[in-house]
Amino acid sequence: MLIDRVHFSRETTSPEDAGWRAAAANLSDLAAMGATPLGITVGLGLPSNITVNWVERLYQGMTECLQKFSTPIVGGDIVRSPVITLAITAFGQADPSFIIRRATAQVGDAIVVTGYHGASRAGLELLLDPESGQQLNVAEKSALIQAHQRPNPRLDVLPILEEILAAADFPVLTGMDSSDGLADAVVQICRSSHLGAVLEYRKIPLPSVFPYWLSGDKTREYVLYGGEDFELVLCLPQELASILVERLGKDAAIIGTILQEPKVILHDEQGTFPDLLLHLNHGFQHFSH
Amino acid sequence: MLIDRVHFSRETTSPEDAGWRAAAANLSDLAAMGATPLGITVGLGLPSNITVNWVERLYQGMTECLQKFSTPIVGGDIVRSPVITLAITAFGQADPSFIIRRATAQVGDAIVVTGYHGASRAGLELLLDPESGQQLNVAEKSALIQAHQRPNPRLDVLPILEEILAAADFPVLTGMDSSDGLADAVVQICRSSHLGAVLEYRKIPLPSVFPYWLSGDKTREYVLYGGEDFELVLCLPQELASILVERLGKDAAIIGTILQEPKVILHDEQGTFPDLLLHLNHGFQHFSH
């Protein structure tokens, strides 16, 4: 459910991008559970001053994303509302032996992330403050802005993951997407599983421009708490995690391990900054801007 | 999708009733398609000044209705919004040979309505204007108010209807619910089917108190355009319509016939008022108050 001025802003987000991101967020929720999309319903609340053109452009962005993942709009509702409201429900289908849950992490599981974290938040910063990122060239800026405006749900990872797990007779698989931030995902998995984790900060893939653009604090904030990268955070046996990372190449990494003790520790092997207990509340804060 | 001050008012509707009616409207949408409910998702947008108590009472009303029809809440979302927004998606299951469509009416089909029409609108009137309905006793008032506050989706009609149709090898069945008014339902079915209809006004079941409370004009307005009665409007072969009405007893009536000519005519056999062509636009207006 997306609300104007809470989840997006009509001033800084084009209707096409708002539509794409709404569809992507919902498809990412399916990917996070190991489900393949069947269709979505779209509930739309609109103020009387909205133009037909705006609505058409919203649907344009939404269908561009949906078509990429062969997902139809199968129903919905349009009503009058004082604030633009987009309420999407996504329907998916999952193999019962391949449902990704949050509460099933096992001690010793490797923690794998797909893609880069912090890119979407960095793209937003470039949009909010046109003076920022002067060290970046046009292509670098554009890639980060693209990550924010046109995120991709990681449905492409599912068949690869399912193939690897099938060969190992489907061991327990745990995970979620990182829509509310990487830290939030790890904390939620640990809380649900009544376990803890250690994260190796230096192993988390981040956009290559961060080191010469952002301070260490800013980098950590974007990577851990930025949100809206819509990547997957998965917990699975070490040997399978290695196979997965090999298969996905640069697009994934093992960033930590599930531990018995119920706390989440961020560890920097180079000692640049001290071990850091992730603040659970910070991890739970929703991305707001 | 229900929006505060558009579809309900926090001033005149208790949270329990708002919850019940939201659930009922969604289950009625399933009944209108011949589907049995499997579950609903609830998206909730809430302003920061709303109390936890209000939300709990909303869910209380919603679950009271859902439990009556054995329907679980299977997911949802809660977000911040400047206006109370309730976005429900209902999931149902239908036998492929028993799906009720709007566009399949056949010339000669009987038009059947379940229940009474105008009751919900009359109940709303009693709530909006406490001075109204002085000719009615407490039980009569209470029944109409109940019809408005706690409408029942007509899922109970489906097994009876399916049994009758199965015995006739499933002829084409057409219909929808009357949530936006009886006239709207008939007009929508006719438009979708590219056909017309004649309605016998005197055959439409209405609350027995209307004749000694309301003027003829008011009665017609409530019965035809009132809305939110959540009854079923069905088109099916005459002989099966008769069996259905016999099975449902006082709770249903044949009120008209589907015609070739694409217009909807309201006919009064007693000549009290002239034949009346239903205004298609009026029939399409959403119930607003």
Side-chain angles (χ1 to χ4, degrees):
Chain A
M1 205 167 176
L2 302 175
I3 313 287
D4 189 19
R5 288 168 201 278
V6 178
H7 302 93
F8 66 99
S9 161
R10 230 192 308 176
E11 275 82 56
T12 59
T13 311
S14 75
E16 288 89 345
D17 289 339
W20 176 290
R21 287 172 63 205
N26 277 276
L27 294 181
S28 182
D29 277 343
L30 291 178
M33 293 183 284
T36 306
L38 293 173
I40 70 167
T41 60
V42 180
L44 201 52
L46 297 173
S48 51
N49 66 353
I50 205 83
T51 64
V52 171
N53 180 256
W54 193 94
V55 178
E56 284 176 345
R57 290 173 61 193
L58 178 81
Y59 270 87
Q60 179 60 34
M62 202 149 49
T63 30
E64 272 173 37
C65 179
L66 292 172
Q67 279 172 356
K68 192 168 169 179
F69 300 97
S70 309
T71 306
I73 297 176
V74 297
D77 198 6
I78 297 184
V79 299
R80 186 157 51 87
S81 170
V83 57
I84 301 177
T85 302
L86 194 49
I88 296 182
T89 303
F91 302 69
Q93 183 169 272
D95 183 330
S97 56
F98 182 64
I99 292 173
I100 306 176
R101 295 185 171 84
R102 295 185 188 184
T104 51
Q106 313 287 311
V107 174
D109 271 356
I111 302 170
V112 174
V113 288
T114 63
Y116 298 100
H117 279 85
S120 173
R121 181 65 187 82
L124 174 65
E125 192 63 24
L126 294 172
L127 288 169
L128 290 176
D129 177 9
E131 298 299 306
S132 67
Q134 300 199 343
Q135 306 89 326
L136 311 184
N137 65 36
V138 175
E140 289 165 340
K141 281 188 182 178
S142 158
L144 293 173
I145 289 172
Q146 179 81 1
H148 179 72
Q149 291 178 332
R150 300 276 163 147
N152 277 299
R154 297 310 304 266
L155 289 160
D156 59 303
V157 173
L158 297 186
I160 299 167
L161 186 57
E162 186 161 13
E163 190 189 317
I164 294 168
L165 291 182
D169 206 17
F170 290 110
V172 174
L173 173 64
T174 308
M176 60 181 287
D177 70 350
S178 60
S179 52
D180 290 329
L182 175 55
D184 174 84
V186 173
V187 168
Q188 290 224 37
I189 289 169
C190 288
R191 278 199 174 173
S192 304
S193 303
H194 305 290
L195 295 172
V198 59
L199 298 185
E200 301 291 341
Y201 181 60
R202 294 289 169 195
K203 293 191 177 166
I204 302 174
L206 43 79
S208 58
V209 297
F210 277 17
Y212 62 90
W213 171 32
L214 301 171
S215 71
D217 280 357
K218 209 61 159 173
T219 296
R220 203 159 60 235
E221 187 194 322
Y222 285 8
V223 170
L224 295 175
Y225 306 109
E228 303 210 343
D229 288 303
F230 298 113
E231 296 292 342
L232 295 179
V233 180
L234 301 163
C235 305
L236 66 173
Q238 297 280 347
E239 63 278 16
L240 300 181
S242 301
I243 299 172
L244 177 63
V245 167
E246 200 172 297
R247 283 285 298 276
L248 292 175
K250 279 191 179 167
D251 196 29
I254 297 176
I255 64 161
T257 309
I258 295 293
L259 303 178
Q260 183 72 55
E261 197 185 353
K263 64 181 184 181
V264 177
I265 295 162
L266 185 70
H267 181 257
D268 180 357
E269 57 194 5
Q270 305 190 355
T272 313
F273 41 77
D275 286 2
L276 179 74
L277 182 68
L278 282 187
H279 297 294
L280 296 193
N281 286 335
H282 193 174
F284 267 105
Q285 267 176 7
H286 274 209
F287 180 50
S288 57
H289 45 84
Chain B
M1 204 167 177
L2 302 175
I3 313 287
D4 188 18
R5 287 170 202 275
V6 177
H7 301 93
F8 66 99
S9 162
R10 230 193 307 176
E11 274 83 55
T12 59
T13 310
S14 76
E16 289 90 345
D17 289 339
W20 176 290
R21 286 172 62 205
N26 276 277
L27 296 182
S28 182
D29 277 343
L30 291 178
M33 294 183 284
T36 306
L38 293 172
I40 70 166
T41 60
V42 180
L44 200 53
L46 296 173
S48 51
N49 66 353
I50 206 82
T51 63
V52 171
N53 180 256
W54 193 94
V55 177
E56 284 176 344
R57 290 172 61 195
L58 178 81
Y59 271 86
Q60 179 62 34
M62 203 150 48
T63 31
E64 272 173 38
C65 179
L66 291 172
Q67 280 172 355
K68 191 168 170 180
F69 300 97
S70 309
T71 305
I73 296 175
V74 297
D77 197 7
I78 297 184
V79 300
R80 185 158 52 85
S81 170
V83 56
I84 301 177
T85 302
L86 194 49
I88 297 183
T89 303
F91 302 71
Q93 182 169 272
D95 184 330
S97 57
F98 182 63
I99 291 173
I100 305 176
R101 296 186 170 85
R102 294 185 190 183
T104 50
Q106 313 287 311
V107 173
D109 272 357
I111 302 170
V112 174
V113 289
T114 63
Y116 297 100
H117 280 84
S120 173
R121 181 65 187 81
L124 175 64
E125 193 63 25
L126 294 172
L127 288 168
L128 291 176
D129 177 8
E131 298 300 307
S132 67
Q134 300 200 343
Q135 306 88 326
L136 311 183
N137 66 37
V138 174
E140 289 165 340
K141 282 189 182 179
S142 156
L144 294 173
I145 289 172
Q146 179 83 1
H148 180 72
Q149 291 178 333
R150 299 275 163 148
N152 276 300
R154 298 310 303 267
L155 290 160
D156 59 305
V157 174
L158 297 185
I160 299 167
L161 187 57
E162 185 161 13
E163 192 190 316
I164 293 169
L165 290 181
D169 205 17
F170 289 112
V172 174
L173 174 64
T174 308
M176 60 181 287
D177 71 349
S178 60
S179 53
D180 290 330
L182 175 54
D184 175 84
V186 173
V187 168
Q188 291 223 36
I189 289 169
C190 287
R191 279 199 172 172
S192 304
S193 304
H194 305 291
L195 293 173
V198 58
L199 299 185
E200 301 291 341
Y201 182 58
R202 295 290 168 194
K203 293 191 179 166
I204 303 174
L206 42 79
S208 58
V209 296
F210 276 18
Y212 62 88
W213 171 31
L214 301 171
S215 71
D217 280 356
K218 209 61 158 175
T219 296
R220 204 158 59 233
E221 186 195 322
Y222 285 10
V223 170
L224 295 175
Y225 306 108
E228 303 211 345
D229 288 303
F230 298 112
E231 296 293 344
L232 295 179
V233 180
L234 301 164
C235 306
L236 66 172
Q238 297 281 347
E239 63 278 17
L240 300 181
S242 300
I243 298 172
L244 177 63
V245 167
E246 199 171 298
R247 283 287 298 276
L248 292 174
K250 280 190 181 167
D251 196 27
I254 297 177
I255 63 161
T257 310
I258 296 293
L259 303 179
Q260 183 71 54
E261 197 185 353
K263 63 180 184 183
V264 178
I265 295 163
L266 185 69
H267 182 255
D268 180 355
E269 57 193 7
Q270 303 190 355
T272 314
F273 41 79
D275 286 1
L276 179 74
L277 183 68
L278 282 186
H279 297 293
L280 297 190
N281 286 335
H282 193 175
F284 266 106
Q285 268 177 6
H286 275 207
F287 180 50
S288 58
H289 44 84

